[in-house]
Amino acid sequence: MTRPRRTVSLVAFAILALLALGAAWLLRPLPTDDLVASPDPGTTYEEAAARIEQIRATEAKLPLHEGGRTVVLSHGHPTDRVFVLLHGFTNAPRQFRELGEDLFAAGANVVIPRLPGHGIADRLTDAHGELSANDLIRYAEGGIDIAHGLGKRVTVVGLSVSGITASWLAHTHDDIDEVFLLAPFLGLPFLPDSFTPPIAGALVRLPNTFLWWDPRVRENLPGPPYNYPRFATRPLGEALRLGIAAERQTGPLKVRRVG
């Protein structure tokens, strides 16, 4: 082999080695040790009411769509059943309003908390772009903590990304009676489960990118005015990280029932 060819081969080998090292760094498993339960349940109806008022005061300072505000449906006293409804990614509490009203009419108290960065009146906001796995946990736990002052038996319903959160709660919280998962986003449906950890790693480590739910209509995505037409990629990686943490839990589920 001539010297120029040898030099080209060495350069090509070095580039391939760097690419392999970069891919290994990018796709390596994400840590999950920082994802821990931190319950702080209310003990009385009055305490729950005070927390609700604090949330409402905070949200009053934000440029929220009317459908983006935390929803609490209360009979004015603790009930036997209380439901915590966790809405979907890039959606808002209004998504579960009708279900909440049906549960309320059946005698239960209902809490529909607002996911951080969601419900903003400007549909093209990037406020949800930095949503983390710990944000998902604190969001759900905040609803559960309030629920304990509103009723005896707590049922959590989680949709899509919040379905991942509900799954994690079922493994880590013994203060919940039931958990229902609605289309939980536990991975990409067209890939084997073994691909989920590296995909999560890539989504978290690559530059955060906002993509259209439907590139054909972009910002004109049909649907409710509180629903965002774009999603950020890093929060999806963080949600998958939480799902991986749930799968790593050992021992029996902490809740009585998962549906």
Side-chain angles (χ1 to χ4, degrees):
M1 183 182 293
T2 63
R3 186 178 183 84
R5 288 183 178 179
R6 185 182 299 112
T7 301
V8 171
S9 297
L10 289 173
V11 171
F13 176 80
I15 291 174
L16 289 174
L18 288 173
L19 289 174
L21 288 172
W25 175 85
L26 184 67
L27 301 175
R28 73 190 191 279
L30 292 167
T32 58
D33 294 344
D34 63 312
L35 306 179
V36 296
S38 301
D40 182 24
T43 57
T44 65
Y45 183 88
E46 290 70 25
E47 184 177 352
R51 295 190 188 192
I52 294 166
E53 287 306 312
Q54 185 177 15
I55 290 172
R56 286 174 173 162
T58 299
E59 291 185 346
K61 302 174 183 178
L62 300 176
L64 298 177
H65 185 278
E66 187 59 32
R69 302 182 187 281
T70 293
V71 175
V72 178
L73 305 175
S74 173
H75 291 275
H77 57 80
T79 52
D80 180 61
R81 299 287 301 278
V82 55
F83 287 82
V84 179
L85 309 181
L86 306 176
H87 68 79
F89 187 49
T90 71
N91 216 297
R94 180 65 179 80
Q95 181 182 34
F96 272 141
R97 179 79 193 202
E98 282 76 16
L99 174 59
E101 289 177 347
D102 287 344
L103 295 170
F104 179 73
N109 285 333
V110 180
V111 181
I112 314 176
R114 182 184 65 90
L115 191 58
H118 288 63
I120 304 296
D122 177 10
R123 298 180 75 206
L124 296 181
T125 180
D126 59 0
H128 64 292
E130 297 303 320
L131 190 72
S132 71
N134 271 304
D135 289 331
L136 290 170
I137 292 172
R138 301 290 89 82
Y139 151 70
E141 288 186 329
I144 294 167
D145 290 343
I146 290 173
H148 279 293
L150 299 181
K152 297 178 182 178
R153 293 188 293 150
V154 177
T155 295
V156 175
V157 179
L159 172 65
S160 184
V161 163
S162 289
I164 293 179
T165 310
S167 173
W168 186 85
L169 293 169
H171 287 86
T172 58
H173 274 254
D174 59 5
D175 58 343
I176 303 171
D177 189 57
E178 297 176 313
V179 168
F180 291 93
L181 315 180
L182 305 181
F185 177 67
L186 296 172
L188 300 179
F190 50 85
L191 291 175
D193 292 344
S194 59
F195 281 70
T196 299
I199 289 172
L203 288 173
V204 169
R205 296 184 179 106
L206 285 171
N208 200 13
T209 304
F210 285 82
L211 302 176
W212 301 106
W213 283 116
D214 187 342
R216 297 169 299 178
V217 297
R218 297 164 63 88
E219 68 273 15
N220 297 314
L221 183 74
Y226 47 79
N227 193 6
Y228 299 161
R230 303 186 304 164
F231 66 91
T233 54
R234 188 168 295 155
L236 290 183
E238 284 287 315
L240 290 175
R241 183 166 80 97
L242 184 58
I244 293 167
E247 291 181 356
R248 290 178 180 174
Q249 299 293 324
T250 60
L253 295 176
K254 298 293 184 71
V255 298
R256 181 181 64 83
R257 179 187 177 194
V258 175

